[in-house]
Amino acid sequence: MTGETLQVAVVGHTNTGKTSLLRTLLRDTSFGDVSDRPAVTRHVEGAELLVDGQPVMALYDTPGLEDSISLRERIDALEASGDTRQDSRRFADDVALIEAFLASSDATGRFAQEAKSLRQVMQVDVALYVIDARQRVLGKHRDELATLARCGRPVVPVLNFIASDDALTSQWRQQLSRLGLHAVAEFDTVVFDALGEQRLFEKMRTLLDAHGDALDTLIEDRHRQRAELIDASAHLIAELLVDAAAAVRVVSVTDDEPAKQDIAALRSAVRSAEQQCVDDLLALHRFRPEDCDPEELPLDQGQWGADLFSPEAMRQMGWRTGSAAAAGAMAGLTLDIMLGGLSLGAATGLGAAAGGLLGIGRTHGRRLIERMRGRRELRCDDATLMLLMKRQLTLVQALLTRGHASMTRMQIGHAADASLPSESNNQRAAPPRLPAQLRKARLHPAWSHLNSAATRDASDTSRHDVGDAATRPPPSGTGWGLTASHRRETVDTLVTTVADDIRRAHPLAESNR
Amino acid sequence: MAARPNIRPYHVAHMSMASVPTSPPAQADIGFDDRLLAEAVRAWESMHTTPLDDARALRHAAAGAGTLEQRIVRRAALLSIADALRRSLQAAGRVISIAIMIAAILGAVGGAGAARAALAIGRDDTTNVFAALLVLLGLQSLLFVIWLGCVIVRPATLRSGSLGGVVANVTGWLARRLNRQPTSMAVVSAMTDVYSRGRIGVWFASAVSHGLWAAFNVGAVAALLVLLSTRQYTFTWETTILSADAYTTLTTGLGAGPRAIGLPVPDGEQIARAQWPLDSNPPPGSSERQAWAGWLIGCVMLYGFLPRMALLAGAHWRWRINRTRYRLPLNESAYLRLRDRLNVDHRLTGRADADAPADADGAPVDGMSNSDDEVSPPHARPPGPPAFVGLELPDQRVPELPDIHSPWQNLGMIDSGEDCRRIARRLASMELEPSPLLIIVSLSNTPDRGVATMLRALGRSVRAQPRLLLTGGHATRTRSNSRALDQRIADWRTTAGEAGLDATSVRAVDLDHLTDESRRLLRDWLDSTVAAASTTEGGSDERTADGPGSSRKLEAAFDVVLRHVRTWREPPKTEAQTAMMREIAGLYAADRAPTRLLTSLGLTAPGSAADVEHMLGRAAERVQGLLPPSLTAHARWVAAGATAGAIGCLATAMLVWPGVAAALPAWSTVGAAIAGLHRMSRTSRDTAPDNEEADDEANEADLAEPIRAAALYAVLLELQGRDEATISSTIDATFTPVPLTPLDSVPSVQRWLDDVRHHFDIALSETSADAGSTSRDAGADA
């Protein structure tokens, strides 16, 4: 069984991103050590790609070829010495020559590091030769390719860092085709591109007929995984949005100004829900929180830099901040002072199916009573909800295009910001309209995990509630089954909307689906 | 090529064998109950914030083969809570069965009651046979039509299986009542979830409802049989608007079924005679009664019981199919979190080169294979014009070098081993020794042993040590960051050391960004003879060799600023600013820079609140005095200088003299004092050319001034130990080129600080030689 697993060695000059390539292919930031220094990897490290639990491809990370010029000279010298002997000890072919070299004392001494790589190449089906495309084609590269060619294994050059401005992609392609290497893959370990990965596998397939099925399985599995990843991300975002949209604090209002602790409680509940979502998204995309300082993502220490309820956060997304009235203590929140919130969902409510009427009657009836008793509902305003959505979408889009070895700063916040500071607020767009599902969620306080059981239970709203998101109250009372399934239905349709949004931003990556 | 190499060492095969765990024998398909258990575990976990101690289960689940779902199910089954959940699931199942059975009995009783009531409908001791049939079949037929509509049309309210949810909810409520285990809540929640997802719940509810109606029909038929056996009924029918013919046709039509299974049914004449009021002669005979009784029982059996039984079987079948089709909702966040831990799509197989000799770990043995060295050691020769060679430079254009004693000779670019040998031979065969030989490399390249080999080869071709110039620093910094650049410089120094170059022969100067100053420094370095350089500098002064040295704290200080800025929602209060500056001063505490700063500002420990105010004023004035004219022209910089002086000195004083805290007046007083300083500096500068900027400043209600002050303060601390003129000129070179952009967002602050740092680096490298000597002098003085 193991014999059928496609064996792949990843080789290349030192510090060209071999370990980074493996990290990205494995989606595992913990594999090996990555640093912008020479000879970080000292040993051959192996890993297997599994499909449905079965190994499909075994990958080996190797130490860099450092002194490749001398290495080639050494092997040339060995060949020359064999030629002069004129007896049976002449090397039958290049592979025999390399084997002889690996058996020599040089292979454990001066060229120990290079020998590890070569030894691994001799054991695999194909070698991926990783190239830092920002470098010119130099003698050392030609020497390395010549040495690899002698190993008698197919070699697929992989151009890394092609997304860099300094990348010399076409020059490299020319040079490589002169050397007879036409199946060149382009793959940026920093800016991940699903299509690039697929093409890499396809390039390998052209050279490895015997393993075509395994590679096809892998390509298909990667497609599926990516679709699942997008759906799963959308699911997390949809859950967050429904929770936030339905989050409500019933406040007692005497002078049109809700108590500070109510405002703080609602904000902190929504903030921590967002943080939980961010944590989950990072975990889902397999970025460890400690990996993502601002160098990595639009996040800072795994958190959004700007507070959700600050005008700065709005500006970052290029949106106009709310009206002056809302910019003060109540920024990002709204106090529902229309009769029982009918204004909010009147359209949804009236258009709803007959089955929904009962629920709306109940909800609005209760609100009406609350209003008469001098209580109102404090909730996030539409702009804040859209901001919440936009921020997570931005994060997901950034995550989808990040390799698992990236070490440089992502400019997303800057790009959005750079042109803006001098502009006046008027030139910013207003936040887009709330999706229908969220307008619906507004009407259902019971849908939000951020509301404590007291708010969810329609029979008792007299208490202030400052429940926190950490302790999710268990579903209680009859009717939970109905509530849960209605909520889930809304979440599911929202997931479709959000997933479409994500896919729209990545047409290239999804083009083959 | 297809042949497998015969040198695959045994351990690889051995290791793969050992590391692939034998897949569990129960690789068979997972069933609905297993999935239900997994859902119950998920519900349990969502209700308890503390995660389950599941290391063992995870390990086992992650080890074997299988899809993500199989692994999740396997983990769930291995958890310690699984047994309790399984018991609760079974208990809930029992409760549901019992409830259904009770409902079925009640249904049968209801059917019997309905049959009794149906037979009692009619006038004068007769039974209205069509009314009776309507009572027995009417309601259930109506409900059947509605059910059919639900199943075929699938209205939106039923799409998510609310019906099933209701049923599950009701039974769940029962289960909770009957079984008060802590796990039953999770089980009920899981069952609700599973049954309301997909169509399992719909078909379950259908099966239950058909079953109950079947029981109803059984009860009705049984009661009919008993009653019709033991009592004598006279069956009639009547109508007002329908014709008698219609009834005859209807009865015959309905009777076709019962007749087919051998039951007696009334014929046309008997039907006609049963119309109310009955003719007294001839009275209905027993055969007539039996015919009507057979017709009624047959109708209930054929049109009530049998269809319900068929539907029950069908719904049950659909329910089972939906159960087997049920898959875990893998996009639920609880499963998403498990996904990574369950190791689904890759596994690490560890080190694979264990056959390499143990000593191969360490630094590679330097062979220095002199045998193949074609370059003979050069004999002594008179010094000649300087020469330079580029080593694997990213672009091939000729670098621009400052003129020294004679014009430069360009020896070309080394791109390969062949180039290196050729140039080394040429160097060795030259009549005059190049003085010096300059090797230019790019910091964007990673130094490696190959480079070291070439440096050695070039070094052997001249008698004096070659110089190694590291260029391209700026490009490398923009590609990553200044910390990476420092690391890269250090790596190059290490490699150069391995190639036999001592530290003074290596210098990082960016040839693409030469200033007059750096050009002069470069010229001095290149012009000095190697011998002189190695004796005077001795390679000990890392700090001055290329600007950023090991003791540098500016990055950390700017990080502190950024961190504080992130927490600011409005312009910070004096106290917050002081805390920030104090933190910055803390970074420099080890260098004694804070103490030096206080000394250089001529301050002494204040004893009273008045002293503190006096100290603030003096410090503000002194720091403003340090600002170069290009900055004092800007009101904003004047204010920043005052703040940096006043608050910075306050923070420093608090750090250096712990007694200050006692003398400190209230923060509001300090704030007022500093505001007073600002006003003073502003009025005194009213004559400054940019009055309009002062107005501007009022609008700039942003965080700029505290940030600029903090940056200025950090630079001041960084520069301690240098003389005042150097400090002033460095501040000039650092801040003057940086534009006064609005600092209203974290990214803009970050950019601005990056800019400042960049110019500070340049300023430092320009003044490095002077600063190096002054730094040593000042250090000796202090």
Side-chain angles (χ1 to χ4, degrees):
Chain A
M1 190 66 201
T2 37
E4 289 163 22
T5 312
L6 173 57
Q7 308 275 320
V8 182
V10 178
V11 293
H13 199 76
T14 187
N15 198 22
T16 50
K18 293 177 290 298
T19 307
S20 299
L21 176 65
L22 257 92
R23 280 188 174 186
T24 308
L25 290 178
L26 296 172
R27 317 266 192 273
D28 185 347
T29 44
S30 65
F31 180 84
D33 293 315
V34 168
S35 142
D36 190 13
R37 301 191 58 190
V40 182
T41 305
R42 292 282 190 178
H43 304 287
V44 177
E45 295 272 346
E48 284 176 339
L49 291 180
L50 312 176
V51 172
D52 289 342
Q54 294 298 322
V56 176
M57 184 190 284
L59 290 155
Y60 297 96
D61 187 20
T62 65
L65 302 167
E66 277 199 54
D67 200 354
S68 35
I69 297 175
S70 309
L71 176 70
R72 185 184 183 184
E73 284 167 1
R74 187 74 203 88
I75 295 175
D76 283 347
L78 192 66
E79 186 178 28
S81 76
D83 283 347
T84 55
R85 265 191 294 247
Q86 294 187 340
D87 56 11
S88 60
R89 297 182 62 193
R90 279 183 63 161
F91 304 113
D93 55 13
D94 283 342
V95 177
L97 174 65
I98 296 290
E99 281 169 7
F101 167 75
L102 289 176
S104 73
S105 63
D106 275 341
T108 53
R110 182 180 175 192
F111 297 109
Q113 192 176 317
E114 286 77 8
K116 282 182 186 179
S117 283
L118 292 184
R119 208 173 278 126
Q120 195 59 45
V121 171
M122 301 289 277
Q123 292 173 25
V124 297
D125 300 307
V126 63
L128 300 182
Y129 178 70
V130 183
I131 295 162
D132 182 346
R134 299 171 300 188
Q135 277 203 314
R136 280 190 305 122
V137 187
L138 296 169
K140 60 186 182 191
H141 298 121
R142 291 198 198 90
D143 291 343
E144 280 159 19
L145 284 166
T147 307
L148 287 175
R150 283 171 158 168
C151 292
R153 296 282 172 271
V155 173
V156 178
V158 180
L159 297 178
N160 193 6
F161 301 110
I162 47 158
S164 161
D165 294 337
D166 315 332
L168 305 165
T169 313
S170 58
Q171 192 189 336
W172 267 104
R173 282 188 169 279
Q174 266 171 25
Q175 283 293 330
L176 289 168
S177 71
R178 279 185 168 191
L179 294 168
L181 294 165
H182 302 289
V184 180
E186 292 178 7
F187 193 91
D188 202 307
T189 50
V190 178
V191 183
F192 177 73
D193 168 19
L195 202 57
E197 186 185 59
Q198 185 190 330
R199 288 187 178 148
L200 169 63
F201 290 145
E202 282 167 0
K203 293 279 160 50
M204 289 165 73
R205 199 182 186 290
T206 59
L207 297 176
L208 297 159
D209 264 353
H211 292 279
D213 288 347
L215 285 165
D216 284 344
T217 317
L218 204 54
I219 291 170
E220 200 177 299
D221 188 60
R222 286 291 151 107
H223 263 313
R224 208 194 52 208
Q225 274 187 27
R226 194 166 173 81
E228 280 173 5
L229 194 62
I230 289 175
D231 281 345
S233 308
H235 190 87
L236 285 172
I237 297 176
E239 286 277 349
L240 166 70
L241 290 176
V242 168
D243 275 348
V248 147
R249 289 292 177 273
V250 178
V251 295
S252 138
V253 175
T254 42
D255 48 356
D256 277 352
E257 187 74 13
K260 279 208 165 50
Q261 69 260 33
D262 287 319
I263 294 180
L266 181 58
R267 280 184 181 162
S268 93
V270 175
R271 268 188 212 121
S272 57
E274 185 190 27
Q275 189 55 49
Q276 180 66 49
C277 180
V278 167
D279 292 349
D280 285 346
L281 282 174
L282 288 176
L284 179 66
H285 291 255
R286 301 192 183 165
F287 280 86
R288 297 176 293 189
E290 67 263 28
D291 287 339
C292 63
D293 42 354
E295 313 279 317
E296 283 278 329
L297 292 169
L299 300 180
D300 179 17
Q301 312 287 335
Q303 297 177 344
W304 282 100
D307 184 76
L308 178 64
F309 296 97
S310 69
E312 161 66 12
M314 281 283 178
R315 271 201 297 269
Q316 262 181 1
M317 291 300 162
W319 285 344
R320 198 163 41 225
T321 45
S323 63
M330 283 275 291
L333 301 179
T334 169
L335 197 59
D336 228 342
I337 51 170
M338 294 299 288
L339 284 182
L342 261 171
S343 62
L344 264 180
T348 326
L350 295 177
L357 278 175
L358 179 67
I360 286 165
R362 211 167 54 195
T363 327
H364 286 293
R366 181 172 62 76
R367 287 179 183 170
L368 207 56
I369 292 165
E370 289 302 331
R371 171 67 186 133
M372 285 190 235
R373 282 159 67 183
R375 295 180 195 286
R376 299 184 202 177
E377 289 172 336
L378 187 65
R379 53 174 86 241
C380 296
D381 63 15
D382 287 10
T384 300
L385 288 177
M386 289 317 293
L387 178 62
L388 208 53
M389 179 163 167
K390 174 83 173 169
R391 293 221 287 195
Q392 313 324 310
L393 283 176
T394 311
L395 174 60
V396 169
Q397 280 154 10
L399 284 168
L400 281 172
T401 47
R402 299 298 278 166
H404 281 68
S406 51
M407 295 174 67
T408 48
R409 172 188 296 266
M410 166 136 235
Q411 297 289 343
I412 187 153
H414 291 194
D417 197 48
S419 58
L420 289 169
S422 54
E423 290 175 24
S424 71
N425 258 0
N426 307 342
Q427 280 163 296
R428 297 175 207 269
R433 203 166 133 75
L434 215 55
Q437 297 95 338
L438 289 184
R439 272 178 274 138
K440 187 172 169 191
R442 288 282 212 202
L443 294 170
H444 298 274
W447 286 3
S448 178
H449 288 106
L450 308 182
N451 296 336
S452 70
T455 315
R456 283 206 239 157
D457 191 352
S459 62
D460 177 19
T461 50
S462 55
R463 269 180 294 162
H464 278 231
D465 63 321
V466 284
D468 58 334
T471 56
R472 295 185 161 192
S476 62
T478 53
W480 174 251
L482 273 171
T483 304
S485 56
H486 280 153
R487 177 182 191 275
R488 197 176 48 235
E489 190 186 329
T490 310
V491 168
D492 286 348
T493 52
L494 189 58
V495 165
T496 322
T497 315
V498 174
D500 285 349
D501 271 2
I502 299 174
R503 291 210 165 88
R504 243 198 310 282
H506 287 271
L508 188 67
E510 303 310 314
S511 61
N512 278 34
R513 289 199 56 80
Chain B
M1 184 163 297
R4 217 144 247 300
N6 53 3
I7 59 163
R8 171 191 282 268
Y10 76 95
H11 78 273
V12 172
H14 178 74
M15 211 181 64
S16 346
M17 293 278 285
S19 65
V20 176
T22 48
S23 42
Q27 182 53 42
D29 275 348
I30 39 179
F32 177 74
D33 288 341
D34 303 318
R35 295 193 173 98
L36 191 57
L37 179 64
E39 280 287 272
V41 167
R42 179 168 76 91
W44 174 267
E45 282 173 328
S46 77
M47 286 174 195
H48 298 76
T49 42
T50 49
L52 294 167
D53 177 25
D54 57 352
R56 189 185 65 95
L58 257 186
R59 205 171 48 245
H60 278 83
T67 59
L68 174 61
E69 193 182 34
Q70 283 168 326
R71 283 162 199 251
I72 288 174
V73 163
R74 205 151 60 206
R75 166 183 175 270
L78 289 167
L79 288 172
S80 50
I81 192 72
D83 278 341
L85 287 173
R86 223 180 259 125
R87 275 197 300 278
S88 284
L89 276 172
Q90 282 162 0
R94 271 198 305 277
V95 169
I96 291 171
S97 317
I98 292 170
I100 290 174
M101 257 146 70
I102 292 173
I105 290 168
L106 290 177
V109 171
R116 190 164 177 274
L119 288 178
I121 299 171
R123 312 188 193 208
D124 304 345
D125 266 357
T126 63
T127 299
N128 187 328
V129 70
F130 279 98
L133 196 63
L134 203 63
V135 164
L136 289 171
L137 293 183
L139 179 61
Q140 53 173 314
S141 305
L142 187 67
L143 288 175
F144 170 75
V145 170
I146 290 174
W147 171 83
L148 204 61
C150 287
V151 170
I152 294 170
V153 180
R154 299 190 186 186
T157 46
L158 282 177
R159 199 181 302 135
S160 61
S162 334
L163 185 56
V166 172
V167 172
N169 194 57
V170 170
T171 49
W173 177 82
L174 269 173
R176 260 202 320 276
R177 288 291 171 278
L178 295 177
N179 181 2
R180 293 190 171 278
Q181 298 294 317
T183 46
S184 38
M185 194 84 101
V187 163
V188 167
S189 169
M191 288 176 83
T192 311
D193 202 55
V194 169
Y195 273 76
S196 59
R197 218 181 264 274
R199 297 190 51 85
I200 301 182
V202 172
W203 287 111
F204 178 70
S206 304
V208 168
S209 92
H210 293 316
L212 294 184
W213 279 116
F216 175 91
N217 285 313
V218 168
V221 169
L224 281 180
L225 281 174
V226 170
L227 288 172
L228 292 174
S229 310
T230 53
R231 290 181 62 180
Q232 177 173 311
Y233 289 93
T234 307
F235 293 99
T236 61
W237 55 270
E238 58 188 294
T239 181
T240 307
I241 56 169
L242 295 178
S243 68
D245 281 352
Y247 268 90
T248 312
T249 319
L250 184 63
T251 313
T252 320
L254 286 174
R259 192 207 302 275
I261 58 168
L263 286 172
V265 293
D267 55 26
E269 192 193 339
Q270 286 170 328
I271 296 167
R273 274 200 289 159
Q275 184 172 15
W276 196 85
L278 295 171
D279 295 335
S280 45
N281 55 339
S286 66
S287 69
E288 216 168 326
R289 286 200 190 91
Q290 279 166 9
W292 277 112
W295 181 85
L296 189 58
I297 291 172
C299 281
V300 174
M301 288 261 292
L302 284 183
Y303 308 127
F305 178 68
L306 282 184
R308 286 292 177 182
M309 282 308 281
L311 287 168
L312 170 62
H316 190 259
W317 175 64
R318 296 294 312 169
W319 174 58
R320 293 198 73 89
I321 283 190
N322 273 291
R323 269 163 61 106
T324 51
R325 276 189 198 153
Y326 175 76
R327 294 292 174 269
L328 290 179
L330 295 177
N331 60 356
E332 285 288 342
S333 54
Y335 292 142
L336 297 180
R337 273 178 227 128
L338 270 179
R339 189 193 175 99
D340 214 16
R341 301 165 68 200
L342 282 172
N343 214 6
V344 186
D345 56 10
H346 75 280
R347 96 181 142 218
L348 306 184
T349 50
R351 260 176 81 165
D353 59 349
D355 63 327
D359 66 333
D361 284 35
V365 184
D366 192 348
M368 283 296 285
S369 49
N370 279 323
S371 57
D372 57 355
D373 187 8
E374 304 156 35
V375 181
S376 53
H379 49 82
R381 47 189 176 177
F388 70 87
V389 56
L391 185 55
E392 298 186 343
L393 288 178
D395 48 16
Q396 280 151 312
R397 93 194 129 80
V398 179
E400 176 216 352
L401 288 167
D403 293 332
I404 53 174
H405 54 81
S406 330
W408 285 94
Q409 316 174 57
N410 183 358
L411 295 179
M413 178 83 76
I414 298 180
D415 276 355
S416 66
E418 181 51 44
D419 292 345
C420 182
R421 271 193 300 276
R422 183 171 46 76
I423 289 174
R425 267 200 304 271
R426 186 174 159 203
L427 272 170
S429 62
M430 280 160 86
E431 292 288 316
L432 302 171
E433 164 112 358
S435 170
L437 168 63
L438 179 66
I439 306 169
I440 305 171
V441 298
S442 169
L443 282 168
S444 62
N445 290 348
T446 319
D448 55 38
R449 292 194 346 264
V451 168
T453 308
M454 290 200 273
L455 288 179
R456 263 196 303 271
L458 291 172
R460 276 196 299 270
S461 60
V462 288
R463 280 181 74 84
Q465 244 183 41
R467 307 294 180 89
L468 185 65
L469 181 64
L470 314 175
T471 184
H474 183 67
T476 309
R477 197 205 321 263
T478 29
R479 193 183 272 182
S480 43
N481 54 44
S482 23
R483 212 163 303 146
L485 177 63
D486 290 348
Q487 180 62 58
R488 181 58 60 80
I489 292 174
D491 286 341
W492 268 104
R493 285 181 173 280
T494 312
T495 304
E498 280 166 13
L501 299 183
D502 63 39
T504 48
S505 308
V506 184
R507 183 162 287 203
V509 178
D510 198 331
L511 291 178
D512 301 328
H513 299 83
L514 276 182
T515 59
D516 290 345
E517 185 65 11
S518 60
R519 188 172 286 116
R520 188 180 61 76
L521 287 168
L522 180 62
R523 190 164 52 229
D524 291 350
W525 176 63
L526 291 170
D527 237 352
S528 65
T529 66
V530 176
S534 54
T535 48
T536 51
E537 292 190 56
S540 61
D541 202 349
E542 273 291 306
R543 184 183 173 85
T544 54
D546 43 43
S550 56
S551 66
R552 185 172 159 157
K553 307 275 182 357
L554 198 66
E555 276 77 17
F558 282 5
D559 285 347
V560 169
V561 177
L562 261 183
R563 204 175 64 237
H564 280 267
V565 168
R566 282 202 187 93
T567 61
W568 292 349
R569 307 270 168 261
E570 51 197 15
K573 299 232 168 11
T574 312
E575 189 174 1
Q577 276 192 70
T578 312
M580 173 173 75
M581 297 234 191
R582 205 176 152 175
E583 207 173 316
I584 296 173
L587 295 171
Y588 290 92
D591 300 347
R592 297 180 34 81
T595 320
R596 280 188 198 163
L597 176 66
L598 292 174
T599 319
S600 71
L601 295 178
L603 300 173
T604 49
S608 67
D611 280 358
V612 170
E613 277 188 46
H614 176 249
M615 177 182 82
L616 294 180
R618 188 172 160 76
E621 206 176 300
R622 290 275 295 150
V623 172
Q624 280 174 345
L626 279 175
L627 294 182
S630 57
L631 293 184
T632 46
H634 295 272
R636 293 175 192 182
W637 271 114
V638 174
T643 312
I647 301 187
C649 131
L650 183 62
T652 322
M654 286 170 73
L655 188 80
V656 176
W657 303 313
V660 171
L664 203 63
W667 279 113
S668 53
T669 319
V670 177
I674 287 167
L677 289 174
H678 279 186
R679 256 197 312 283
M680 228 158 66
S681 63
R682 207 170 289 159
T683 44
S684 71
R685 305 278 166 181
D686 261 353
T687 48
D690 56 352
N691 259 348
E692 72 282 10
E693 203 190 16
D695 300 335
D696 231 31
E697 188 190 358
N699 300 336
E700 194 191 6
D702 59 6
L703 319 166
E705 193 224 283
I707 294 166
R708 288 193 190 116
L712 182 59
Y713 176 63
V715 166
L716 264 180
L717 281 172
E718 185 74 42
L719 291 173
Q720 279 314 299
R722 290 158 168 84
D723 65 74
E724 212 161 279
T726 314
I727 293 179
S728 187
S729 70
T730 312
I731 289 177
D732 186 12
T734 304
F735 290 103
T736 310
V738 184
L740 278 168
T741 48
L743 303 174
D744 54 357
S745 65
V746 175
S748 66
V749 173
Q750 200 161 357
R751 268 200 308 275
W752 187 79
L753 288 175
D754 276 346
D755 246 11
V756 169
R757 185 166 47 220
H758 174 62
H759 287 100
F760 181 70
D761 289 347
I762 295 175
L764 265 198
S765 67
E766 281 172 358
T767 59
S768 60
D770 301 347
S773 54
T774 27
S775 141
R776 264 196 303 280
D777 297 345
D781 291 346

